[in-house]
């Protein structure tokens, strides 16, 4: 899937330009030999709620591992940061995982810039965290938000950028590197990046995390067709598609697909598109890359960061990595 780092700005419903962009991406993606839809479109209001539900599934240990590491090592991480630091978080959502670290960093006027495309999530984030930090919410794409936040750098101050939850795994590997380099370019020596990465584990364990028996991940995936119906005047019959999770061993990634149960045709008015499906044909909707430890160090090196420290969860192999700008 040709994920572009800069395109990681999720689309807001009701915005005409955004709707045109969505229609255009749908037209292009569904014309490919392997039909595909960009995973950013999974996250409308309903999709974001379904993702939140995924994070509570017993089979999906990723978010809990990330939270455990941040809770257990908040003091270690804070101890490695420069003395005057402001915090930026990419894709913060409500910022729940960040509380421990903000508390450990402490200080009278700690500035925290959560960046997210969901204004609702940022409003909650500001409400929940304003007791421990001065919260400056930015409803923007990652790199636009970075530019806004870093423009407010004060003399002698460094930034800690947090990119949690293994969202880096949703980028194609080469785009991930490109994104990290762009991120690095917006920072200065002394700044740091705390980046979470889900590690390769036993395939059965990974597969059930993305194909839970409760069907929440299936609903999250199918909602993408529902969103096309709602926002672009599509007539997809959701019951005629099924969720599929695959482990792609050579690429070390879980792929989510929507598999057509039968030969069928769908029409999408706003994209002026009729699309046909053979029984068994799929739309590829998401890649979730999994990492090996040496690979993470290599990524840091290639994006001009140095590795300061790393913490690994013993129950759900997941790595929290603290990198410094070289
Ligand atoms: C947001 N992202 C890190 C999740 C992941 O694990 O790749 C999205 C997700 N897709 C299905 N389940 C969770």
């Amino acid at each position: 899937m040709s994920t572009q780092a800069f395109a990681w700005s999720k689309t807001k419903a009701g915005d005409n330009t955004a709707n045109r962009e969505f229609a255009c991406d749908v037209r292009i993606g569904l014309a490919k030999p392997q039909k595909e839809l960009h995973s950013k479109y999974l996250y409308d209001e309903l999709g974001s709620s379904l993702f939140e539900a995924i994070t509570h599934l017993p089979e999906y240990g990723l978010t809990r591992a990330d939270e455990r590491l941040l809770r257990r090592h908040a003091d270690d991480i804070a101890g490695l940061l420069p003395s005057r630091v402001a915090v930026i978080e990419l894709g913060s959502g409500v910022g729940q995982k960040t509380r421990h670290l903000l508390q450990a960093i402490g200080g009278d006027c700690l500035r925290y810039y959560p960046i997210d495309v969901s204004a609702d999530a940022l409003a909650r984030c500001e409400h929940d965290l304003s007791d421990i930090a001065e919260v400056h919410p930015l409803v923007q794409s990652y790199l636009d938000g970075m530019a806004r936040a870093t423009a407010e750098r004060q003399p002698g101050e460094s930034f800690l950028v947090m990119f949690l939850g293994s969202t880096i795994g949703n980028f194609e590997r080469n785009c991930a590197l490109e994104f990290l380099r762009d991120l690095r370019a917006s920072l200065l020596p002394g700044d740091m990046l705390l980046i979470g990465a889900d590690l390769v584990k036993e395939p059965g364990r990974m597969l059930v995390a993305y194909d839970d028996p409760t069907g929440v991940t299936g609903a999250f995936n199918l909602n993408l067709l529902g969103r096309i119906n709602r926002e672009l005047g599509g007539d997809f019959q959701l019951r005629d598609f099924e969720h599929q999770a695959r482990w792609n061993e050579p690429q070390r990634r879980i792929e989510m697909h929507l598999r057509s149960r039968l030969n069928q045709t769908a029409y999408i008015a706003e994209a002026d598109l009729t699309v046909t499906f053979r029984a068994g044909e799929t739309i590829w909707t998401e890649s979730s890359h999994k990492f090996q430890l040496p690979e993470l160090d290599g990524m840091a090196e290639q994006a001009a960061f140095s590795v300061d420290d790393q913490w690994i969860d013993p129950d759900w192999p997941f790595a929290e990595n603290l990198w410094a700008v070289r």
Side-chain angles (χ1 to χ4, degrees), residues 50-51 53-64 198 201-218 220 243 245-246 254-256 286 288 290 316:
L50 288 166
F51 175 65
I54 287 173
T55 66
H56 298 286
L57 289 170
E59 296 82 8
Y60 189 80
L62 190 157
T63 309
R64 284 184 297 280
D198 200 25
K201 45 189 86 54
E202 199 265 305
R205 202 171 174 204
M206 290 186 285
L207 276 169
V208 75
Y210 290 84
D211 192 8
D212 58 287
T214 327
V216 182
T217 312
F220 172 65
H243 167 68
R246 300 178 187 169
I254 292 282
E255 294 172 4
M256 290 206 315
E286 187 190 62
S288 191
K290 305 301 168 188
W316 179 276

Side-chain angles (χ1 to χ4, degrees), residues 19-212:
N19 248 26
R20 272 201 301 277
E21 190 184 312
F22 185 19
C24 181
D25 287 349
V26 166
R27 204 179 305 115
I28 292 168
L30 294 185
K32 294 188 176 174
Q34 165 61 69
K35 293 179 171 62
E36 64 182 40
L37 292 169
H38 197 296
S39 61
K40 68 181 175 177
Y41 294 116
L42 290 164
Y43 299 90
D44 64 346
E45 287 273 311
L46 178 55
S48 299
S49 301
L50 288 166
F51 175 65
E52 163 69 17
I54 287 173
T55 66
H56 298 286
L57 289 170
E59 296 82 8
Y60 189 80
L62 190 157
T63 309
R64 284 184 297 280
D66 198 15
E67 264 169 357
R68 268 194 302 275
L69 289 169
L70 290 167
R71 188 165 14 91
R72 284 183 189 157
H73 300 290
D75 288 337
D76 305 324
I77 298 168
L80 291 164
L81 302 177
S83 52
R84 287 197 54 211
V85 77
V87 178
I88 301 174
E89 182 170 1
L90 308 178
S92 63
V94 298
Q96 192 190 330
K97 286 183 284 193
T98 312
R99 169 168 279 277
H100 309 289
L101 186 54
L102 293 179
Q103 256 163 347
I105 296 171
D108 284 344
C109 45
L110 172 63
R111 293 192 334 284
Y112 169 53
Y113 298 88
I115 302 172
D116 205 283
V117 290
S118 167
D120 290 349
L122 288 177
R124 243 182 80 192
C125 178
E126 185 171 16
H127 174 268
D128 292 353
L129 296 178
S130 54
D131 58 325
I132 43 173
E134 209 182 87
V135 184
H136 298 264
L138 295 168
V139 187
Q140 285 190 302
S141 67
Y142 296 156
L143 294 176
D144 288 347
M146 280 295 298
R148 277 280 298 279
T150 53
E152 294 184 21
R153 185 192 294 271
Q154 292 175 5
E157 185 178 65
S158 300
F159 279 103
L160 167 68
V161 180
M162 303 175 73
F163 194 29
L164 306 175
S166 201
T167 301
I168 192 70
N170 296 131
F171 291 75
E172 286 304 300
R173 284 186 202 277
N174 56 348
C175 294
L177 191 58
E178 196 182 311
F179 176 72
L180 290 171
R181 285 183 172 140
D182 287 345
L183 202 57
R184 162 67 187 82
S186 68
L187 295 171
L188 294 176
D191 293 338
M192 304 192 89
L193 174 65
L194 184 68
I195 181 166
D198 200 25
L199 302 176
V200 173
K201 45 189 86 54
E202 199 265 305
R205 202 171 174 204
M206 290 186 285
L207 276 169
V208 75
Y210 290 84
D211 192 8
D212 58 287

